[in-house]
Amino acid sequence: MRVTPNGPLLVRGAETIRDEEGVAHETTRPVVAVCACGKSGRKPWCDGTHKVVRRGRA
Ligand code: FES
C-alpha cells in the first residue's frame, strides 16, 4: 500500500477492499485507488474529488 499526499491510498494486489461499514468490494485490478479524503461519490474508490476539496481549502 502507498499513501499519496492529499490523495488516495494506492493498494496493490488486493482482491477485496472492505469499507468503513465492513462491506466487501471486490476488484480484479492490479492496483486500486481507495479514497482517503472521505468525499468520493464512489466510495471506497477514489473518484478524483480530493483534488477539488484540496483546491477549495487553499
Ligand atoms: S482520495 Fe480521491 S476522492 Fe477521496
Side-chain angles (χ1 to χ4, degrees), residues 14-42:
E15 295 178 356
T16 303
I17 298 291
R18 287 196 185 275
D19 64 23
E20 59 195 23
E21 296 173 353
V23 177
H25 300 266
E26 295 185 5
T27 182
T28 57
R29 295 184 175 201
V31 178
V32 291
V34 177
C35 177
C37 75
K39 302 296 184 187
S40 174
R42 296 183 53 237

Side-chain angles (χ1 to χ4, degrees), residues 4 6-9 33-41 45-51:
T4 61
N6 301 313
L9 304 174
V34 177
C35 177
C37 75
K39 302 296 184 187
S40 174
W45 316 120
C46 170
D47 68 356
T49 301
H50 64 271
K51 297 174 188 171

